[in-house]
Amino acid sequence: MLIPTKANISTVTDMRVDTLGLLKRVKRDRFKYVFNRSTPEAVLLSMMEYERMLQRLEDAEDKLMALNAAKENKGKGVGLKQAMKEYEVKV
């Protein structure tokens, strides 16, 4: 879990006064919480951190889909010859 600390907090004023500097710190530190008058308003992520999080999310979604597919009733099944006959496939 990401916990706000002095090292990973910036303010709206920091964004306004030193945007490029803040972006460099975000790139270095992976993320920054942005506070406005002592209230958390946003989180800035480096592109590397954002892509890493997207990849982890995609992996988790793939795993969930695989688990759900494994639980599905597979049915009786049909042999190849019967399917070819049903769909009028000629070889």
Side-chain angles (χ1 to χ4, degrees), residues 13-31:
T13 303
D14 295 336
M15 287 180 64
R16 188 172 46 248
V17 173
D18 186 21
T19 306
L20 290 177
L22 176 58
L23 291 176
K24 287 178 185 175
R25 290 189 298 279
V26 168
K27 186 175 183 177
R28 179 192 68 210
D29 299 336
R30 299 186 349 241
F31 68 94

Side-chain angles (χ1 to χ4, degrees), residues 63-74:
K63 183 176 181 178
L64 183 60
M65 282 177 46
L67 289 171
N68 288 336
K71 292 177 185 176
E72 285 182 10
N73 183 1
K74 304 296 186 277

